[in-house]
Coordinates of all heavy atoms in Angstrom, one line a residue:
Chain A
A225 N 37.9 64.7 197.8 CA 38.2 65.6 196.6 C 38.6 64.7 195.4 O 38.3 65.1 194.3 CB 39.3 66.6 196.9
A226 N 39.2 63.6 195.7 CA 39.6 62.7 194.6 C 39.8 61.3 195.1 O 40.2 61.1 196.3 CB 40.9 63.2 193.9
Y227 N 39.5 60.3 194.2 CA 39.7 58.9 194.6 C 40.7 58.3 193.5 O 40.2 57.6 192.6 CB 38.4 58.2 194.6 CG 37.4 58.6 195.6 CD1 36.4 59.5 195.4 CD2 37.5 58.0 196.9 CE1 35.5 59.8 196.4 CE2 36.6 58.4 197.9 CZ 35.6 59.3 197.7 OH 34.7 59.6 198.6
P228 N 41.9 58.6 193.6 CA 42.9 58.1 192.6 C 43.0 56.6 192.7 O 43.0 56.0 193.8 CB 44.2 58.8 193.0 CG 44.1 59.1 194.4 CD 42.6 59.5 194.6
R229 N 43.0 56.0 191.5 CA 43.2 54.5 191.4 C 44.6 54.2 191.2 O 45.3 54.8 190.5 CB 42.4 54.0 190.2 CG 40.9 54.1 190.4 CD 40.3 53.8 189.0 NE 38.8 53.9 189.1 CZ 38.0 54.3 188.1 NH1 38.6 54.6 186.9 NH2 36.7 54.4 188.3
A230 N 45.0 53.1 191.9 CA 46.4 52.7 191.8 C 46.8 52.4 190.4 O 47.8 52.8 189.9 CB 46.6 51.4 192.7
S231 N 45.9 51.8 189.6 CA 46.2 51.4 188.3 C 46.3 52.6 187.3 O 46.8 52.5 186.2 CB 45.1 50.5 187.7 OG 43.8 51.2 187.6
E232 N 45.8 53.7 187.8 CA 45.9 54.9 187.0 C 47.0 55.9 187.4 O 47.1 57.0 186.9 CB 44.5 55.6 186.9 CG 43.5 54.8 186.1 CD 42.1 55.2 186.2 OE1 41.9 56.3 186.9 OE2 41.2 54.5 185.7
T233 N 47.7 55.5 188.5 CA 48.8 56.4 188.9 C 50.1 55.6 188.9 O 51.1 55.9 189.7 CB 48.5 56.9 190.4 OG1 47.9 55.8 191.1 CG2 47.6 58.1 190.4
I234 N 50.2 54.7 188.0 CA 51.5 53.9 187.9 C 52.7 54.8 187.6 O 53.7 54.6 188.2 CB 51.3 52.9 186.7 CG1 50.1 51.9 187.0 CG2 52.6 52.1 186.5 CD1 50.4 50.9 188.1
N235 N 52.4 55.8 186.7 CA 53.5 56.7 186.4 C 54.0 57.5 187.6 O 55.2 57.7 187.8 CB 53.1 57.7 185.3 CG 51.9 58.5 185.7 OD1 51.1 58.1 186.5 ND2 51.8 59.7 185.1
L236 N 53.1 57.9 188.5 CA 53.5 58.6 189.7 C 54.4 57.7 190.6 O 55.4 58.1 191.2 CB 52.3 59.0 190.5 CG 51.5 60.2 190.1 CD1 50.3 60.5 191.0 CD2 52.4 61.5 190.0
M237 N 54.0 56.5 190.7 CA 54.7 55.5 191.5 C 56.1 55.2 190.9 O 57.1 55.2 191.7 CB 53.9 54.2 191.7 CG 52.6 54.4 192.4 SD 51.8 52.8 192.7 CE 50.3 52.9 191.9
Q238 N 56.1 55.1 189.6 CA 57.4 54.8 189.0 C 58.4 56.0 189.2 O 59.6 55.8 189.4 CB 57.2 54.5 187.5 CG 56.5 53.2 187.3 CD 56.4 52.8 185.8 OE1 56.8 53.6 184.9 NE2 56.0 51.6 185.5
K239 N 57.8 57.2 189.1 CA 58.6 58.4 189.3 C 59.2 58.4 190.7 O 60.4 58.6 190.9 CB 57.7 59.6 189.1 CG 58.5 60.8 188.6 CD 57.6 62.0 188.3 CE 57.4 62.9 189.5 NZ 56.3 63.9 189.3
M240 N 58.4 58.0 191.7 CA 58.8 58.0 193.1 C 59.9 56.9 193.3 O 60.9 57.1 194.0 CB 57.7 57.9 194.0 CG 58.1 58.0 195.5 SD 56.7 57.9 196.6 CE 56.4 59.6 197.0
I241 N 59.6 55.8 192.7 CA 60.6 54.7 192.8 C 61.9 55.1 192.2 O 63.0 54.8 192.8 CB 60.0 53.4 192.2 CG1 58.8 52.9 192.9 CG2 61.1 52.3 192.1 CD1 58.0 51.8 192.2
S242 N 61.9 55.7 191.1 CA 63.2 56.2 190.5 C 63.9 57.1 191.4 O 65.1 57.0 191.5 CB 62.9 56.9 189.1 OG 62.3 56.0 188.2
T243 N 63.2 58.0 192.0 CA 63.8 59.0 192.9 C 64.4 58.2 194.1 O 65.5 58.5 194.5 CB 62.7 60.0 193.4 OG1 62.1 60.6 192.3 CG2 63.4 61.0 194.3
L244 N 63.7 57.3 194.6 CA 64.2 56.5 195.7 C 65.5 55.7 195.4 O 66.4 55.6 196.2 CB 63.1 55.6 196.3 CG 62.0 56.3 197.0 CD1 60.8 55.3 197.3 CD2 62.4 56.9 198.3
I245 N 65.5 55.2 194.2 CA 66.7 54.5 193.7 C 67.9 55.5 193.6 O 69.0 55.2 194.1 CB 66.5 53.8 192.4 CG1 65.5 52.6 192.6 CG2 67.8 53.2 191.8 CD1 65.0 51.9 191.3
E246 N 67.6 56.7 193.0 CA 68.6 57.7 192.8 C 69.2 58.1 194.1 O 70.4 58.3 194.3 CB 68.0 58.9 192.2 CG 68.1 59.0 190.7 CD 67.1 60.1 190.1 OE1 67.1 61.2 190.8 OE2 66.4 59.8 189.2
K247 N 68.3 58.2 195.1 CA 68.8 58.7 196.5 C 69.3 57.5 197.3 O 69.5 57.7 198.5 CB 67.7 59.4 197.2 CG 67.3 60.7 196.5 CD 66.3 61.5 197.3 CE 66.0 62.8 196.6 NZ 64.9 63.6 197.3
S248 N 69.4 56.3 196.7 CA 69.9 55.2 197.4 C 69.1 54.7 198.6 O 69.5 54.0 199.5 CB 71.3 55.4 197.9 OG 72.2 55.8 196.9
F249 N 67.8 54.9 198.5 CA 66.9 54.4 199.5 C 66.3 53.0 198.9 O 65.6 52.3 199.7 CB 65.7 55.3 199.8 CG 66.1 56.5 200.6 CD1 66.2 57.8 200.1 CD2 66.4 56.3 202.0 CE1 66.6 58.9 200.8 CE2 66.8 57.4 202.8 CZ 66.9 58.7 202.2
A250 N 66.5 52.8 197.7 CA 65.9 51.6 197.1 C 66.9 51.0 196.1 O 67.8 51.6 195.7 CB 64.6 52.0 196.3
Y251 N 66.7 49.7 195.8 CA 67.6 49.0 195.0 C 66.9 47.9 194.2 O 65.8 47.5 194.6 CB 68.7 48.3 195.8 CG 68.2 47.3 196.8 CD1 68.1 46.0 196.5 CD2 67.8 47.7 198.1 CE1 67.6 45.1 197.4 CE2 67.3 46.8 199.0 CZ 67.2 45.5 198.7 OH 66.6 44.6 199.6
V252 N 67.5 47.5 193.1 CA 66.9 46.4 192.3 C 67.5 45.1 192.8 O 68.7 44.9 192.8 CB 67.2 46.6 190.8 CG1 66.6 45.5 190.0 CG2 66.7 47.9 190.3
G253 N 66.6 44.2 193.2 CA 67.1 43.0 193.8 C 67.5 42.0 192.8 O 67.2 42.2 191.6
S254 N 68.0 40.9 193.2 CA 68.5 39.9 192.3 C 67.3 39.2 191.6 O 67.5 38.5 190.6 CB 69.3 38.8 193.1 OG 68.5 38.3 194.1
D255 N 66.1 39.4 192.1 CA 64.9 38.8 191.4 C 64.2 39.8 190.5 O 63.1 39.6 190.2 CB 64.0 38.3 192.5 CG 63.7 39.3 193.5 OD1 64.2 40.5 193.4 OD2 63.0 39.0 194.5
S256 N 64.9 40.9 190.3 CA 64.4 42.0 189.4 C 63.2 42.8 190.1 O 62.7 43.7 189.5 CB 63.9 41.5 188.1 OG 64.9 40.9 187.4
N257 N 62.9 42.5 191.3 CA 62.0 43.4 192.1 C 62.8 44.6 192.6 O 64.0 44.5 192.8 CB 61.4 42.7 193.3 CG 60.4 41.6 192.9 OD1 60.0 41.5 191.7 ND2 60.1 40.7 193.8
V258 N 62.1 45.7 192.7 CA 62.7 46.9 193.4 C 62.3 46.9 194.8 O 61.1 46.8 195.1 CB 62.3 48.2 192.7 CG1 63.0 49.4 193.3 CG2 62.6 48.1 191.2
Y259 N 63.3 47.0 195.7 CA 63.0 47.0 197.1 C 63.4 48.3 197.8 O 64.4 49.0 197.4 CB 63.8 45.9 197.8 CG 63.3 44.5 197.4 CD1 64.0 43.7 196.5 CD2 62.1 44.0 198.0 CE1 63.6 42.5 196.1 CE2 61.7 42.7 197.6 CZ 62.4 42.0 196.7 OH 62.0 40.7 196.3
F260 N 62.6 48.7 198.8 CA 63.1 49.8 199.7 C 64.0 49.2 200.7 O 63.8 48.1 201.3 CB 61.8 50.4 200.4 CG 62.1 51.7 201.1 CD1 61.9 52.9 200.5 CD2 62.7 51.6 202.4 CE1 62.2 54.1 201.2 CE2 63.0 52.8 203.1 CZ 62.7 54.0 202.5
S261 N 65.1 49.9 201.0 CA 66.1 49.4 201.9 C 65.8 50.0 203.3 O 66.0 51.2 203.5 CB 67.5 49.8 201.4 OG 68.4 49.6 202.5
V262 N 65.3 49.2 204.2 CA 64.9 49.7 205.5 C 66.1 50.3 206.2 O 66.0 51.4 206.9 CB 64.4 48.5 206.4 CG1 64.2 49.0 207.8 CG2 63.1 48.0 205.8
K263 N 67.2 49.7 206.1 CA 68.4 50.2 206.8 C 68.9 51.6 206.4 O 69.6 52.2 207.1 CB 69.5 49.2 206.7 CG 69.3 47.9 207.5 CD 70.4 46.9 207.3 CE 70.3 45.8 208.3 NZ 71.2 44.7 208.0
S264 N 68.4 52.0 205.2 CA 68.8 53.3 204.7 C 68.0 54.4 205.3 O 68.2 55.6 205.2 CB 68.7 53.4 203.2 OG 67.3 53.4 202.8
F265 N 66.9 54.0 206.0 CA 66.0 55.0 206.6 C 66.0 54.9 208.1 O 65.4 54.1 208.7 CB 64.6 54.8 206.0 CG 63.6 55.8 206.4 CD1 63.6 57.1 205.9 CD2 62.6 55.5 207.4 CE1 62.7 58.1 206.3 CE2 61.7 56.5 207.8 CZ 61.8 57.8 207.2
A266 N 66.7 55.9 208.7 CA 67.1 55.8 210.1 C 65.9 55.7 211.1 O 65.9 55.0 212.0 CB 68.0 57.0 210.5
S267 N 64.8 56.5 210.8 CA 63.8 56.6 211.8 C 62.7 55.6 211.5 O 61.5 55.8 212.0 CB 63.2 58.0 211.8 OG 62.5 58.3 210.6
Y268 N 63.0 54.5 210.8 CA 62.0 53.5 210.5 C 61.5 52.9 211.9 O 62.3 52.6 212.8 CB 62.5 52.3 209.7 CG 61.5 51.4 209.2 CD1 60.7 51.7 208.2 CD2 61.3 50.1 209.9 CE1 59.7 50.8 207.7 CE2 60.3 49.2 209.4 CZ 59.5 49.6 208.4 OH 58.6 48.7 207.9
G269 N 60.2 52.9 212.0 CA 59.6 52.3 213.3 C 59.0 53.4 214.2 O 58.5 53.1 215.2
A270 N 59.1 54.7 213.7 CA 58.7 55.8 214.6 C 57.2 55.8 214.9 O 56.7 56.2 215.9 CB 59.0 57.1 213.9
I271 N 56.4 55.3 214.0 CA 54.9 55.3 214.2 C 54.5 54.1 215.1 O 53.8 54.2 216.1 CB 54.1 55.2 212.9 CG1 54.5 56.3 211.9 CG2 52.6 55.2 213.1 CD1 53.9 56.2 210.5
S272 N 55.0 52.9 214.7 CA 54.5 51.7 215.3 C 55.3 51.3 216.6 O 54.9 50.5 217.4 CB 54.7 50.5 214.4 OG 56.0 50.4 214.0
G273 N 56.5 51.9 216.7 CA 57.4 51.5 217.9 C 58.2 50.3 217.6 O 58.9 49.8 218.4
N274 N 58.0 49.7 216.4 CA 58.8 48.5 216.1 C 60.2 48.9 215.8 O 60.5 50.0 215.2 CB 58.2 47.8 214.8 CG 57.0 47.0 215.1 OD1 56.8 46.6 216.2 ND2 56.2 46.9 214.1
R275 N 61.1 48.0 216.2 CA 62.5 48.3 215.9 C 63.0 47.3 214.9 O 62.6 46.1 214.9 CB 63.4 48.1 217.2 CG 63.0 49.1 218.3 CD 63.6 48.6 219.6 NE 65.1 48.4 219.5 CZ 65.9 49.4 219.7 NH1 65.6 50.6 220.0 NH2 67.2 49.1 219.5
I276 N 63.8 47.7 214.0 CA 64.3 46.9 212.9 C 64.9 45.6 213.4 O 64.6 44.5 212.9 CB 65.3 47.6 212.0 CG1 64.7 48.8 211.2 CG2 65.9 46.6 211.0 CD1 65.6 49.6 210.4
D277 N 65.7 45.7 214.5 CA 66.4 44.5 214.9 C 65.4 43.5 215.7 O 65.8 42.4 215.9 CB 67.6 44.9 215.8 CG 67.2 45.9 216.9 OD1 66.0 46.0 217.2 OD2 68.1 46.5 217.4
S278 N 64.2 44.0 216.0 CA 63.3 43.0 216.7 C 62.3 42.5 215.7 O 61.4 41.7 216.0 CB 62.6 43.7 217.9 OG 61.9 44.8 217.4
L279 N 62.4 42.9 214.4 CA 61.5 42.4 213.4 C 62.1 41.1 212.9 O 62.9 41.2 212.0 CB 61.3 43.4 212.3 CG 60.4 44.6 212.6 CD1 60.4 45.6 211.4 CD2 59.0 44.1 212.9
Q280 N 61.7 40.0 213.5 CA 62.4 38.8 213.1 C 61.7 38.2 211.8 O 60.5 38.3 211.7 CB 62.2 37.8 214.2 CG 63.0 38.2 215.4 CD 64.5 38.4 215.1 OE1 65.1 37.7 214.4 NE2 65.0 39.5 215.6
P281 N 62.5 37.7 210.9 CA 61.9 37.2 209.7 C 61.1 35.9 210.0 O 61.5 35.1 210.9 CB 63.1 36.9 208.8 CG 64.2 36.8 209.7 CD 63.9 37.6 210.9
G282 N 60.1 35.7 209.2 CA 59.4 34.4 209.3 C 58.8 34.1 210.7 O 58.7 33.0 211.1
H283 N 58.4 35.2 211.4 CA 57.9 35.0 212.7 C 56.6 34.2 212.7 O 56.3 33.3 213.4 CB 57.6 36.3 213.4 CG 56.9 36.2 214.7 ND1 57.5 35.7 215.8 CD2 55.6 36.4 215.0 CE1 56.6 35.7 216.8 NE2 55.4 36.1 216.4
R284 N 55.7 34.6 211.7 CA 54.4 33.9 211.6 C 54.4 32.8 210.6 O 53.6 31.9 210.7 CB 53.3 35.0 211.4 CG 53.1 35.8 212.6 CD 51.7 36.5 212.5 NE 51.6 37.3 211.3 CZ 50.5 37.9 211.0 NH1 49.4 37.8 211.7 NH2 50.5 38.7 209.9
Y285 N 55.1 32.9 209.6 CA 55.2 31.9 208.6 C 56.5 32.0 207.8 O 57.1 33.1 207.8 CB 54.0 31.9 207.6 CG 53.7 33.3 207.1 CD1 54.4 33.9 206.1 CD2 52.6 34.1 207.7 CE1 54.1 35.2 205.7 CE2 52.3 35.3 207.3 CZ 53.1 35.9 206.3 OH 52.8 37.1 205.8
E286 N 56.8 31.0 207.1 CA 58.0 31.0 206.3 C 57.8 31.8 205.0 O 56.8 31.6 204.3 CB 58.4 29.6 206.0 CG 58.9 28.8 207.2 CD 60.0 29.5 207.9 OE1 61.0 29.9 207.3 OE2 60.0 29.5 209.2
Y287 N 58.7 32.6 204.7 CA 58.6 33.3 203.4 C 59.1 32.4 202.2 O 60.0 31.7 202.4 CB 59.5 34.5 203.4 CG 59.0 35.6 204.3 CD1 59.5 35.6 205.6 CD2 58.1 36.5 203.9 CE1 59.0 36.6 206.5 CE2 57.6 37.4 204.7 CZ 58.0 37.5 206.0 OH 57.5 38.4 206.9
T288 N 58.3 32.5 201.2 CA 58.6 31.6 200.1 C 59.0 32.5 198.8 O 59.5 32.0 197.8 CB 57.5 30.7 199.7 OG1 56.3 31.5 199.4 CG2 57.2 29.7 200.7
D289 N 58.7 33.8 199.0 CA 58.9 34.7 197.8 C 60.0 35.7 198.2 O 60.5 35.7 199.3 CB 57.6 35.3 197.4 CG 57.2 36.3 198.4 OD1 57.2 36.0 199.6 OD2 56.8 37.4 198.0
E290 N 60.1 36.7 197.3 CA 61.0 37.8 197.5 C 62.4 37.4 198.0 O 63.0 38.0 198.9 CB 60.3 38.7 198.6 CG 58.9 39.2 198.1 CD 58.3 40.2 199.1 OE1 58.7 40.3 200.2 OE2 57.3 40.9 198.6
G291 N 62.9 36.5 197.3 CA 64.2 36.0 197.6 C 65.3 37.0 197.3 O 66.5 36.8 197.6
G292 N 64.9 38.0 196.5 CA 66.0 39.0 196.1 C 66.3 40.1 197.0 O 67.1 41.0 196.7
K293 N 65.7 40.1 198.2 CA 65.9 41.1 199.2 C 67.3 41.0 199.8 O 67.9 40.0 200.0 CB 65.0 41.0 200.4 CG 63.5 41.2 200.1 CD 62.8 41.0 201.4 CE 61.3 41.1 201.2 NZ 60.5 40.9 202.4
L294 N 67.9 42.2 200.1 CA 69.1 42.2 200.8 C 68.9 42.0 202.3 O 69.8 41.5 203.0 CB 69.9 43.6 200.6 CG 70.3 43.8 199.1 CD1 71.0 45.2 199.0 CD2 71.3 42.7 198.7
F295 N 67.7 42.5 202.8 CA 67.4 42.4 204.2 C 66.0 42.0 204.4 O 65.1 42.5 203.6 CB 67.7 43.8 204.8 CG 67.5 43.9 206.3 CD1 68.3 43.1 207.2 CD2 66.4 44.6 206.8 CE1 68.1 43.2 208.6 CE2 66.2 44.7 208.2 CZ 67.0 44.0 209.1
H296 N 65.7 41.2 205.3 CA 64.4 40.6 205.4 C 63.2 41.6 205.6 O 62.1 41.3 205.2 CB 64.3 39.5 206.6 CG 64.5 40.1 207.9 ND1 63.4 40.7 208.6 CD2 65.6 40.2 208.7 CE1 63.9 41.1 209.8 NE2 65.2 40.9 209.9
A297 N 63.5 42.7 206.2 CA 62.4 43.7 206.4 C 62.3 44.6 205.3 O 61.3 45.5 205.3 CB 62.7 44.5 207.7
D298 N 63.1 44.6 204.2 CA 62.9 45.4 203.0 C 61.6 44.9 202.4 O 61.2 43.8 202.5 CB 64.0 45.2 202.0 CG 65.3 45.7 202.6 OD1 65.3 46.4 203.6 OD2 66.4 45.4 202.0
W299 N 60.9 45.9 201.7 CA 59.7 45.5 201.0 C 59.7 45.9 199.5 O 60.5 46.8 199.2 CB 58.5 46.1 201.7 CG 58.4 47.6 201.7 CD1 57.8 48.3 200.7 CD2 59.0 48.5 202.6 NE1 57.9 49.7 201.0 CE2 58.7 49.8 202.1 CE3 59.7 48.3 203.7 CZ2 59.1 50.9 202.8 CZ3 60.2 49.5 204.4 CH2 59.8 50.8 203.9
A300 N 58.9 45.3 198.8 CA 58.9 45.6 197.3 C 58.1 46.8 197.0 O 57.0 47.1 197.4 CB 58.2 44.4 196.6
L301 N 58.8 47.7 196.1 CA 58.2 48.9 195.6 C 57.6 48.5 194.2 O 56.6 49.0 193.8 CB 59.2 50.0 195.5 CG 59.9 50.4 196.8 CD1 61.0 51.4 196.5 CD2 58.9 51.1 197.7

Side-chain angles (χ1 to χ4, degrees):
Chain A
Y227 293 98
R229 292 168 179 151
S231 67
E232 291 169 2
T233 36
I234 300 290
N235 58 331
L236 283 180
M237 296 189 239
Q238 291 187 352
K239 208 173 92 192
M240 185 174 261
I241 295 168
S242 296
T243 305
L244 289 170
I245 293 173
E246 268 166 43
K247 295 186 175 176
S248 300
F249 286 107
Y251 61 92
V252 181
S254 57
D255 53 3
S256 302
N257 289 348
V258 181
Y259 292 102
F260 189 95
S261 169
V262 172
K263 286 178 171 171
S264 69
F265 186 72
S267 67
Y268 190 77
I271 303 173
S272 62
N274 282 334
R275 298 167 54 88
I276 293 177
D277 50 17
S278 61
L279 286 174
Q280 295 305 315
H283 173 74
R284 289 200 301 176
Y285 46 78
E286 293 303 317
Y287 290 92
T288 54
D289 68 316
E290 301 185 342
K293 291 179 185 183
L294 294 177
F295 181 65
H296 66 82
D298 293 348
W299 67 90
L301 300 172

